[in-house]
């Protein structure tokens, strides 16, 4: 009814189309989340495992020197898949 199809059942989107749109939204949300949070998580992990307790700025400089900017996105593939799967399942199940 919110889409304006309360009385016109012929033009209403099918249930499959609605679930498809919701699943696509979940995948996009998961992709954006993983792209934004992966660099922060990489820095956090390096801070946690380093015995010397360096500052975050030192970790960032060392990471750029060792791996370049792509070092911030190490592990993006699995995180991308996981976040997209969780986002999709959450949105589809919620709706």
């Amino acid at each position: 009814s919110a889409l304006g199809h309360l009385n016109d059942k012929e033009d209403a989107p099918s249930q499959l189309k609605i679930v498809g749109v919701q699943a696509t939204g979940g995948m996009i949300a998961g992709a954006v989340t993983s792209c934004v949070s992966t660099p922060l998580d990489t820095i956090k992990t390096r801070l946690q495992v380093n015995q010397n307790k360096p500052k975050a700025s030192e970790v960032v400089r060392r990471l750029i020197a060792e791996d370049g900017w792509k070092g911030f996105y190490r592990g993006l593939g699995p995180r991308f898949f996981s976040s997209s799967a969780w986002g999709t399942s959450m949105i589809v199940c919620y709706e």
Side-chain angles (χ1 to χ4, degrees):
S1 66
L3 298 174
H5 299 290
L6 183 61
N7 296 325
D8 190 11
K9 299 292 184 190
E10 292 179 14
D11 288 339
S14 67
Q15 198 66 20
L16 183 63
K17 186 179 280 189
I18 291 171
V19 170
V21 168
Q22 292 170 345
T24 303
M27 285 189 288
I28 292 170
V32 170
T33 299
S34 62
C35 289
V36 170
S37 65
T38 297
L40 299 173
D41 194 46
T42 302
I43 295 168
K44 177 195 67 133
T45 301
R46 294 244 177 155
L47 285 169
Q48 289 175 338
V49 299
N50 198 325
Q51 299 283 331
N52 301 332
K53 302 294 180 200
K55 294 183 179 181
S57 59
E58 294 171 10
V59 170
V60 169
R61 277 190 231 114
R62 187 177 307 136
L63 188 59
I64 292 172
E66 291 175 1
D67 298 326
W69 289 100
K70 68 180 181 178
F72 287 102
Y73 290 96
R74 185 173 287 175
L76 178 64
R79 180 184 282 268
F80 180 86
F81 177 74
S82 176
S83 294
S84 295
W86 277 106
T88 300
S89 61
M90 183 207 47
I91 289 177
V92 170
C93 290
Y94 177 76
E95 292 294 330

